Each structure stands twice: as structure tokens, then as C-alpha cells.
């Protein structure tokens, strides 16, 4: 676990509140689209939307895999 301290006079009040809320957390979940970055994260969101709209999940995730391999930073 990473511990940080923010000088109150330099920190954004929202950052201070988030830090307070996270200090006792044992686990943290980062949404996939955020964790994957803008390019791949957007494609991930598009893939989930396509599956929700009826696209075959295997085909959708296969296309996402190909996209990810071509667009890794």
C-alpha cells in the first residue's frame, strides 16, 4: 500500500477528500477503461456497447485483442 501526505495549503480540496476516503481502504478497483488509457480504453467501452447491442462477445473481444495489440504504447 502506498501512503502519501498532501500539504493542505497546496492541495486541491477534492484531492484531500479523496485521500481521506482512501486512507482506510484495503482494496481499490480501477475501471478498465481508465486503467487501459484513452485509446484502448475507448475501444474497450465501444466493445462493451457492441456486446450490449447484440454483437457476438467472442468476435467483439477478438477484435478488441487485435486492436490492443496494434495500439499498445
Amino acid at each position: 500500500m502506498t501512503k502519501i501526505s498532501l500539504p493542505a495549503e497546496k492541495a486541491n480540496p477534492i484531492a484531500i477528500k479523496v485521500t481521506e476516503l482512501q486512507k482506510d481502504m484495503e482494496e481499490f478497483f480501477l475501471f478498465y477503461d481508465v486503467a487501459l488509457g484513452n485509446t484502448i480504453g475507448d475501444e474497450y467501452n465501444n466493445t462493451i456497447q457492441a456486446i450490449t447491442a447484440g454483437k457476438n462477445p467472442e468476435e467483439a473481444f477478438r477484435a478488441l485483442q487485435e486492436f490492443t495489440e496494434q495500439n499498445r504504447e
Side-chain angles (χ1 to χ4, degrees):
M1 176 185 270
T2 302
K3 300 257 183 191
I4 62 168
S5 62
L6 298 171
E9 66 277 1
K10 294 183 179 181
N12 180 308
I14 295 171
I16 293 171
K17 184 64 177 176
V18 168
T19 300
E20 289 172 6
L21 293 171
Q22 290 179 337
K23 71 180 178 183
D24 295 325
M25 291 175 58
E26 295 179 12
E27 297 181 25
F28 183 75
F29 176 80
L30 190 60
F31 290 97
Y32 290 116
D33 61 336
V34 174
L36 295 171
N38 291 335
T39 302
I40 296 172
D42 285 346
E43 190 63 21
Y44 174 84
N45 286 337
N46 293 339
T47 299
I48 298 303
Q49 290 174 358
I51 292 169
T52 302
K55 186 171 184 175
N56 178 293
E58 287 184 26
E59 291 175 15
F61 281 116
R62 189 175 304 115
L64 176 61
Q65 180 67 36
E66 290 173 13
F67 181 89
T68 300
E69 291 171 2
Q70 294 171 2
N71 291 282
R72 283 191 186 149
E73 296 175 2

